[in-house]
Amino acid sequence: MARDVRRVPFRTAITAINRFRQRFQRRFQRHYRSRGDVPTSALVSSPHPYTRALGLVAVVLFGAWLGLLIVGSVRTPVGPMDTKMTLRPSLTGGTKINVSPLGALELDSHTAPIRLDVDVDQLDPVRSQALVEHPERLSGLQAEVAHDVSAGTTELAVRSCVAVVSGATALGLAVYRRPRRALAAGGLALALLAASGVTAFATWNPKSVLEPRFSGLLSSAPQVVGSARSIVTEFDVYQKELARLVTNVTKLYDATSTLPSYQPDPGTLRVLQVSDIHLNPAAWAIIGSLVKQYRIDLIIDSGDTMDHGSAAENSFLDPIPDLGAPYVWVRGNHDSAATQKYLRGLKNVHVLDNGRAVTVAGIRVAGTGDPQFTPDRSLVNGGDAAEEMAGIRLASAIRDQERAGTPVDIAVAHNPIAARETDGTVPLVLAGHVHHRETEIMPFGTRLKIEGSAGGGGLRAVQNDKPEKVRASLLYLDSTTKRLQAWDEITLGGLGLTTAEVSRHLPEEAGVPGTDPSPSGTPSTEPSGPPSGSPSGAPSGSPSGAPSGSPSGPASTSRSPSP
């Protein structure tokens, strides 16, 4: 029965290719018969070289794909788990680890037209019980996993070669009915696979495991790759980190339905970055959940909490004192002076403007409000020049703090144009306004981190074709240096969606233990986003959420980390 099922696509492919050849040949004949300069018999026996080349490429690609689909996978044990490894055609490459039923992890491990899929089928009860009864064996699990992964990938490479050659040769023989053509198709398929393997090897990124994208229930458990400090200090080679990943996934299985809470290092400070809530009441429940789940020390809001800045909207701000963490806020271009005055009267809220600095949870933060209030059409806005001047005043205030012996750890401005003026004066500056994420190292060493909308663009998002996603970031800071160690980008589905994704990122300089991440005069090699000066008054239909250094992950169908 299985044999008949596999023949159906094979025969369908042969029929489709033959029909394509016949149709193209008939059109070719009609074209040249009308000219009368080429005999019909010659046309039948000698197809155009482009036609033959195109047909051969189609046979090679489709045959290789069929071969991988039918026999191009390997089942192999990896530590206490049974896995299935498969190579699949892909435009972007990478590695996807499916951990049923918890979700998936995606790694940007390489750039090549092939992707490695690893499906964790089940946890072997005998081997798992042995680890539970003999915990000392966990110390040798890393070596065992490294050996299993090496053996599995070697077997997968051999099987994939056989699969693509067999598939392309068999399809070539069925289409051309000439052994020489069939062997040529098989040889070309092997050459393409070898070239893809060389490309994957040349672009192999062992640090990709440091920046995974989680989906499914795993989005609530980024701890499967360890805490921020552990990643920086303990990572040395890919196999060891992968082994630790497998070990922690084993613990997740052992916990059955209860996912363990995230346990960062005791010395790590946790800052939640939010922006552009735009009167979405659901944002408070999400922020409160994140504060409780991740034990947040400080919340920093870079503005546009309101939509029109009217006094009638002020009651929307009342849940802030009950969020469970100090709240630092700067005014956005949708927040009025009345909004700012109301927030000053709320408990546990620190309003920053004109370069004012405060120390909260051991972190020195300085900020400035947006100089423009766009909902008031009677005012003439100063445009980018006003934003630049506000940023210059903020940078000057930060320098004054430095001279006074109270250096600033984090600067905050709503508009990225203003934030850019602080380059070289502070290690980290936060902004919002543009409703999508960007991060970059500016020329004088300051990291600019722009957050998306924590309110999914607010209620105005219903005007868009697709709901705007809810975005926030969890920043991990060293308690001594106050430098950024890592950050988790949290993305939730917008109105009517129930998706969740958490992706881990490390600063470029944190990849090597012991390096000093302080600002320097040398620009980082991390990619930067485009200039961010567009107003948030008219957000696009579905803003891009691609962070620097890691493409945005695919949408998932998991539950969000809200209560």
Side-chain angles (χ1 to χ4, degrees):
M1 184 65 182
R3 191 186 317 167
D4 295 337
V5 173
R6 292 180 179 177
R7 284 179 179 174
V8 172
F10 193 74
R11 290 175 178 173
T12 303
I14 296 172
T15 303
I17 292 175
N18 283 329
R19 285 180 179 175
F20 173 78
R21 290 180 59 204
Q22 293 170 3
R23 188 178 305 168
F24 193 90
Q25 197 171 58
R26 285 196 298 268
R27 290 182 180 179
F28 194 74
Q29 287 176 349
R30 285 197 299 268
H31 174 73
Y32 281 98
R33 190 185 297 117
S34 63
R35 294 175 53 181
D37 55 352
V38 179
T40 302
S41 60
L43 290 172
V44 174
S45 59
S46 301
H48 196 277
Y50 290 153
T51 306
R52 291 192 296 179
L54 183 61
L56 181 61
V57 171
V59 167
V60 169
L61 294 179
F62 197 75
W65 176 77
L66 284 177
L68 286 176
L69 186 65
I70 297 172
V71 296
S73 61
V74 170
R75 293 190 177 275
T76 181
V78 177
M81 293 183 291
D82 295 326
T83 67
K84 178 183 176 183
M85 297 183 179
T86 310
L87 287 181
R88 290 282 182 257
S90 171
L91 296 177
T92 57
T95 300
K96 184 174 183 180
I97 304 174
N98 298 301
V99 188
S100 178
L102 299 177
L105 299 91
E106 294 189 54
L107 311 175
D108 296 322
S109 56
H110 62 277
T111 302
I114 52 175
R115 184 186 73 192
L116 174 62
D117 287 353
V118 181
D119 296 320
V120 179
D121 292 337
Q122 63 179 355
L123 195 66
D124 185 274
V126 176
R127 284 174 283 167
S128 301
Q129 185 64 28
L131 289 175
V132 173
E133 294 176 353
H134 303 281
E136 68 277 2
R137 295 184 182 180
L138 285 172
S139 60
L141 184 60
Q142 290 189 352
E144 179 185 350
V145 169
H147 177 269
D148 292 343
V149 170
S150 177
T153 52
T154 300
E155 183 180 353
L156 178 62
V158 174
R159 183 181 286 264
S160 298
C161 290
V162 174
V164 298
V165 171
S166 301
T169 302
L171 186 59
L173 188 62
V175 172
Y176 297 113
R177 293 181 172 82
R178 295 180 182 177
R180 183 175 297 179
R181 284 281 183 87
L183 292 175
L188 183 57
L190 181 61
L192 288 176
L193 181 63
S196 300
V198 171
T199 304
F201 180 79
T203 58
W204 183 254
N205 178 22
K207 294 181 180 180
S208 62
V209 75
L210 298 179
E211 299 185 350
R213 293 187 299 276
F214 304 91
S215 60
L217 295 181
L218 286 178
S219 62
S220 299
Q223 66 275 17
V224 293
V225 294
S227 64
R229 176 169 293 184
S230 297
I231 290 176
V232 176
T233 58
E234 295 177 12
F235 176 84
D236 47 5
V237 294
Y238 180 80
Q239 287 90 340
K240 290 183 180 179
E241 194 62 41
L242 181 60
R244 191 148 59 94
L245 178 68
V246 173
T247 303
N248 285 298
V249 169
T250 302
K251 295 177 182 178
L252 282 177
Y253 267 100
D254 187 57
T256 61
S257 62
T258 304
L259 293 174
S261 60
Y262 182 68
Q263 297 292 338
D265 286 349
T268 301
L269 297 173
R270 298 162 296 275
V271 177
L272 182 64
Q273 180 189 4
V274 298
S275 187
D276 296 85
I277 294 175
H278 284 293
L279 281 181
N280 187 347
W284 301 132
I286 294 171
I287 293 173
S289 174
L290 292 173
V291 169
K292 182 178 180 181
Q293 179 179 351
Y294 292 101
R295 300 180 183 177
I296 299 298
D297 297 301
L298 174 64
I299 305 169
I300 298 181
D301 185 344
S302 55
D304 270 5
T305 312
M306 300 304 208
D307 214 353
H308 299 91
S310 63
E313 297 173 337
N314 286 343
S315 60
F316 171 75
L317 305 170
D318 290 343
I320 292 180
D322 299 323
L323 291 177
Y327 201 91
V328 172
W329 181 87
V330 299
R331 187 180 65 251
N333 63 295
H334 282 260
D335 303 319
S336 65
T339 300
Q340 180 165 306
K341 181 179 179 181
Y342 188 85
L343 275 167
R344 288 187 188 277
L346 294 181
K347 184 181 179 181
N348 215 22
V349 176
H350 304 269
V351 176
L352 304 183
D353 197 9
N354 298 318
R356 177 175 178 253
V358 294
T359 300
V360 186
I363 303 171
R364 189 75 171 166
V365 187
T368 189
D370 197 296
Q372 306 181 83
F373 181 53
T374 53
D376 190 347
R377 303 300 180 183
S378 65
L379 299 177
V380 178
N381 292 320
D384 292 352
E387 301 292 347
E388 291 173 357
M389 185 56 63
I392 291 173
R393 288 195 293 267
L394 175 59
S396 177
I398 294 173
R399 294 189 186 95
D400 291 342
Q401 292 286 329
E402 180 76 27
R403 286 191 288 268
T406 54
V408 172
D409 303 311
I410 301 177
V412 191
H414 177 66
N415 196 307
I417 294 177
R420 291 181 189 278
E421 297 299 325
T422 64
D423 186 17
T425 66
V426 68
L428 176 65
V429 59
L430 307 180
H433 184 63
V434 294
H435 288 211
H436 64 264
R437 288 190 180 114
E438 298 176 25
T439 180
E440 65 173 290
I441 300 292
M442 294 188 289
F444 293 101
T446 296
R447 179 182 297 276
L448 170 62
K449 192 174 183 310
I450 306 172
E451 188 52 78
S453 172
L459 299 181
R460 291 175 296 134
V462 298
Q463 302 171 357
N464 303 327
D465 295 333
K466 295 182 179 180
E468 189 171 324
K469 293 183 178 181
V470 176
R471 306 178 193 276
S473 291
L474 177 60
L475 314 180
Y476 301 102
L477 305 181
D478 184 272
S479 60
T480 302
T481 65
K482 309 302 188 297
R483 294 299 193 259
L484 184 66
Q485 288 185 302
W487 69 93
D488 288 342
E489 292 184 345
I490 301 164
T491 305
L492 308 178
L495 292 174
L497 300 181
T498 55
T499 62
E501 182 177 311
V502 180
S503 56
R504 169 66 52 81
H505 301 269
L506 286 179
E508 178 89 2
E509 65 272 9
V512 181
T515 56
D516 182 10
S518 60
S520 64
T522 305
S524 168
T525 58
E526 289 187 348
S528 62
S532 306
S534 59
S536 64
S540 59
S542 180
S544 167
S548 170
S550 176
S552 60
S556 60
T557 56
S558 65
R559 66 187 184 191
S560 69
S562 56

